[in-house]
Amino acid sequence: MLVGIDAIAIALPRRYVDMEELAAARGIDPAKYTLGLGAREMAVAEPGEDTVALAANAVERVLAGRDRRDLGMLVVGTETGVDHSKPVASFVHGLLELPRTMRVFDTQHACYGGTAGVMAACEWIASGAGRGRSAIVVCSDIARYGIGTAGEPTQGAGAVAMLITEDPAIAAIDIGGSGTASAHVHDFWRPLGQREAEVDGHYSVQCYLEALTLAYAGWREKTGGAELARICYHVPFCKMAKKAHEHILPASTFETMVAPSLALCSRVGNIYTGSLYLGLAGLLDAQSADLANQRIGLFSYGSGCTSEFFSALVSPRAHEAICRAHLGEVLAARTRISVAEYERIVEAREPLGTATGFAYVGSESKQRRYVRNERSAHTR
Ligand code: COA
């Protein structure tokens, strides 16, 4: 049975900053951000434009025109949830009025959480436990580091929603072929009650590469080293994908095998759990017609750490399916803001645990305000 990604949709914050302008404001050579890190633009989430709102919008888009009665599972991968107990998935389930009979939960392990959801959904369907039903997996996060820190240019925000089905129109996952690698390390973490992440950036690069070596070897052993046309890597910043690729394969293959997956990421920044899948969406948007019936590799890394190298077979219907995500329109709908406006937005962010968010579900004219910490969460 073929199981995998049938549809993808993304939701982005409505504002972004230009990286050359940010570098100039920090007194840094812009080439460090554009060439050194590979960043062009960075998404900026406003107060109220939170993980739930981004996830709900992405799900609304991926389900457009589809029969919701076929859904059996909703998983949100996130490391920037809005409550210690109530999952983001529960808010999304309520906001979109999805079927009561669904299994609904979040998965967390830094940037790996989305892949945990993808694997849970694929294995649920492939095992037969889903009884023909489909799953939605959403990766939704807001990456925040302090103003003026080394991590500042590697922020971003956004959500990627994927419909997981039998006979998928985008790509069938090679279930059981994954190589995995984990270790108890402190490369990146966010203590309870703290909004900004702590990161030992250079150490995180080292942990990522060590995990990749082991996970890639595991995937090769299980699949016999199937031929890969492209590889999408987890992208905390675009240059990381180059470092990763050159760590396992000849550097001369980077432009062909990896660069096409980075164009979209370079215009959004790090979206943690969704970064790998944003890269996949960008790759397919650019090259799906050429990739039909070809196999691609995917490497998911979550600090802390755990990781998975897996592969997927691109469907001949992928081009038609990715066109429905209208990625160009989603990007074009954003507004560029100045560094001063970005700083005002960062300073205006609500303290953690405050009550409300805005879910711009469908369109701004239909925006709904939802309440996070009342006994019975509801929309208004
Ligand atoms: N022109 C061109 N390139 C330049 C440059 C210039 N003027 N100045 C610096 N660079 C290059 C450096 O050579 C380096 O490239 P390299 O790694 O290929 O050698 C790159 O820009 C970054 O410079 P560096 O001095 O290493 O930057 P930094 O110490 O400010 O930190 C990160 C960079 C990525 C470590 C930091 O932004 C960070 O911690 N980000 C968070 C990472 C993360 O999220 N990790 C967790 C998930 S894996």
Side-chain angles (χ1 to χ4, degrees):
M1 181 197 295
L2 292 180
V3 178
I5 305 169
D6 191 61
I8 297 185
I10 68 169
L12 300 174
R14 293 167 303 161
R15 313 269 182 262
Y16 72 90
V17 285
D18 178 84
M19 295 307 286
E20 292 194 0
E21 200 181 323
L22 180 64
R26 297 289 175 262
I28 288 172
D29 178 357
K32 174 173 175 182
Y33 289 1
T34 55
L35 301 176
L37 297 175
R40 287 175 59 199
E41 294 165 358
M42 186 172 87
V44 178
E46 294 174 71
E49 202 173 32
D50 65 4
T51 304
V52 172
L54 291 165
N57 281 296
V59 174
E60 177 78 10
R61 288 174 188 162
V62 88
L63 289 180
R66 290 175 190 274
D67 188 346
R68 299 174 179 208
R69 288 171 301 184
D70 294 340
L71 298 171
M73 186 189 280
L74 168 66
V75 192
V76 175
T78 185
E79 54 179 299
T80 50
V82 298
D83 187 283
H84 286 311
S85 181
K86 188 172 167 65
V88 169
S90 174
F91 288 100
V92 173
H93 180 254
L95 277 164
L96 298 186
E97 296 168 354
L98 297 177
R100 286 287 300 273
T101 49
M102 291 175 77
R103 182 182 282 169
V104 171
F105 60 98
D106 281 5
T107 44
Q108 184 192 330
H109 190 140
C111 301
Y112 174 81
T115 300
V118 167
M119 292 303 163
C122 286
E123 289 164 10
W124 174 70
I125 292 172
S127 72
R131 294 178 176 268
R133 289 177 298 165
S134 319
I136 306 168
V137 178
V138 200
C139 308
S140 184
D141 273 305
I142 301 175
R144 298 186 183 100
Y145 304 100
I147 287 179
T149 63
E152 184 185 26
T154 62
Q155 299 176 104
V160 181
M162 290 168 277
L163 186 63
I164 309 290
T165 64
E166 275 183 51
D167 190 23
I170 289 193
I173 307 281
D174 293 325
I175 295 167
S178 299
T180 48
S182 306
H184 175 42
V185 291
H186 268 84
D187 57 336
F188 167 103
W189 66 103
R190 189 165 62 89
L192 291 176
Q194 192 170 309
R195 184 189 288 280
E196 279 83 23
E198 302 284 339
V199 60
D200 187 341
H202 294 281
Y203 180 52
S204 78
V205 171
Q206 191 187 322
C207 294
Y208 180 123
L209 295 177
E210 282 172 13
L212 171 62
T213 305
L214 196 55
Y216 180 63
W219 170 82
R220 280 179 62 88
E221 197 184 308
K222 293 205 176 83
T223 61
E227 193 181 329
L228 299 176
R230 303 285 182 275
I231 303 182
C232 297
Y233 294 91
H234 167 54
V235 188
F237 51 98
C238 288
K239 184 73 162 294
M240 187 65 233
K242 189 165 192 292
K243 287 178 192 288
H245 191 69
E246 292 176 0
H247 194 68
I248 55 168
L249 286 166
S252 58
T253 59
F254 170 79
E255 281 302 324
T256 309
M257 290 187 74
V258 184
S261 65
L262 300 178
L264 183 55
C265 298
S266 73
R267 298 193 55 191
V268 177
N270 191 3
I271 61 168
Y272 288 161
T273 49
S275 294
L276 170 64
Y277 301 99
L278 191 67
L280 174 65
L283 169 67
L284 294 175
D285 197 48
Q287 299 191 331
S288 52
D290 304 335
L291 292 174
N293 298 318
Q294 299 211 52
R295 193 161 255 104
I296 56 175
L298 298 111
F299 178 63
S300 182
Y301 175 79
S303 289
C305 69
T306 196
S307 66
E308 186 152 346
F309 194 102
F310 58 106
S311 50
L313 188 65
V314 177
S315 161
R317 293 174 286 147
H319 182 66
E320 198 185 314
I322 200 68
C323 285
R324 283 199 285 272
H326 302 292
L327 298 182
E329 285 172 35
V330 176
L331 273 181
R334 304 178 308 159
T335 305
R336 176 173 165 172
I337 56 170
S338 67
V339 173
E341 284 172 282
Y342 146 70
E343 288 172 355
R344 270 198 297 278
I345 287 172
V346 171
E347 279 153 21
R349 279 176 181 155
E350 320 156 293
L352 281 177
T354 49
T356 56
F358 293 90
Y360 301 97
V361 176
S363 68
E364 284 193 36
S365 61
K366 284 199 281 175
Q367 73 173 249
R368 300 182 205 166
R369 180 185 175 92
Y370 70 92
V371 179
R372 284 207 291 262
N373 63 358
E374 285 185 0
R375 286 253 163 111
S376 171
H378 59 274
T379 55
R380 293 175 185 157

